Amino acid sequence: MQKTLEGNPISEGFLSHGPAAPGKAIIDRDHAAVWWLTLDEIRDADWLKLASLLIEEERARSERFHFDRDRLVYIAAHAMCRGLLSYCLGAAVQSWRFTVEYHGKPELVSPPNMPRLRVNISHTRGLAAVALTVEHDIGVDVEWLQRDADTDGLAARMFAETERQRVAAANGSEKLDIFLKFWTLKEAYVKAIGKGLSQPLDAFAFDPEALEIAFRDAHADDPANWHFERYRPGPDYLMALAVRHPDKQRLAVDTRPAPLSYLLGLADG
Ligand SMILES: CC(C)(COP(=O)(O)OP(=O)(O)OC[C@H]1O[C@@H](n2cnc3c(N)ncnc32)[C@H](O)[C@@H]1OP(=O)(O)O)[C@@H](O)C(=O)NCCC(=O)NCCS
């Protein structure tokens, strides 16, 4: 199943039945959960509550950002990440621990008696997103529609030929839109495989309508194992999700705005 969700979030899905009871996971290898949070929704008084969901190490890191906007989006992303894990797994919000892999990808240390949880975070100006599944590689990317980006130059330097041509042929606001459709899909993929930007972005190309990937080296990876989705979390944002799954027909993805009241409730204990 491949799906493009550019409008409103779906109202049904496995996340719509409320959070997991303690120890009763509502997510397994055939589910992926995605939340996004726009910073505009968060009132001044709520920031302390969200920050209280972080562990000490994360709070210390948040204090090191020079700009408020970077600090706040970091707090929102990591509070939401902890919240999504607790919502789906029914464990305490501060119990989650992470290690960092070779290319900088944080991986969850799955607690005993829990499946291998996989999570990925993305943030951009004013918006954070988190994606969670079990076992499979997962990556998410959000981007703000930055009006002054050098789309032709970046596409010429970094994209595959078919993608470059699509960007070059587009006019007006469509140029930025198609550029960021490619960019978010490509980032979601390189984040899912954990290589980040150490993976050359011209080694694979997307069909942004069919949501299919093709690899320059046919032995590099198997397109049949990848599921992609695209979203528009707000008028100024694009988001993409990449999940590796051996049987995509079985994969159920639930993507929606994070329930802020649930996150704030976690802070109230
Ligand atoms: C990972 C990377 C693609 C992030 O891109 P970005 O659009 O700037 O940032 P996003 O907001 O989408 O994602 C950032 C989050 O991804 C996660 N992340 C970091 N490295 C990652 C990796 N290799 N794979 C997957 N996820 C990664 C982190 O959770 C990070 O958030 P945090 O620092 O708050 O924990 C990019 O920074 C990267 O490739 N870094 C690796 C180092 C590298 O190769 N640098 C070359 C620079 S040209």
Side-chain angles (χ1 to χ4, degrees), residues 200-250:
L201 296 183
D202 60 356
F204 58 97
F206 274 96
D207 176 334
E209 284 79 33
L211 292 178
E212 286 170 359
I213 194 168
F215 297 97
R216 194 171 57 199
D217 170 0
H219 302 291
D221 201 341
D222 184 355
N225 287 342
W226 283 97
H227 173 83
F228 298 98
E229 297 199 358
R230 266 194 301 113
Y231 313 89
R232 206 176 276 275
D236 288 336
Y237 297 105
L238 288 184
M239 173 163 105
L241 174 75
V243 190
R244 193 201 295 269
H245 195 287
D247 183 1
K248 292 188 294 192
Q249 302 301 324
R250 297 169 54 143

Side-chain angles (χ1 to χ4, degrees), residues 97-167:
R97 292 292 178 274
F98 295 85
T99 55
V100 177
E101 300 294 312
Y102 184 56
H103 290 288
K105 184 176 188 177
E107 288 284 358
L108 204 80
V109 181
S110 295
N113 309 323
M114 272 198 201
R116 184 178 172 226
L117 302 164
R118 308 292 304 281
V119 71
N120 196 229
I121 281 175
S122 183
H123 29 67
T124 187
R125 180 185 290 223
L127 182 83
V130 57
L132 169 67
T133 190
V134 172
E135 295 288 346
H136 310 299
D137 291 341
I138 190 163
V140 64
D141 189 58
V142 288
E143 298 290 338
W144 177 59
L145 289 156
Q146 190 182 339
R147 316 273 168 217
D148 56 357
D150 173 19
T151 46
D152 282 324
L154 285 166
R157 278 203 306 282
M158 302 181 85
F159 283 7
E161 185 54 34
T162 50
E163 297 169 335
R164 261 176 236 164
Q165 287 172 4
R166 278 288 296 272
V167 175

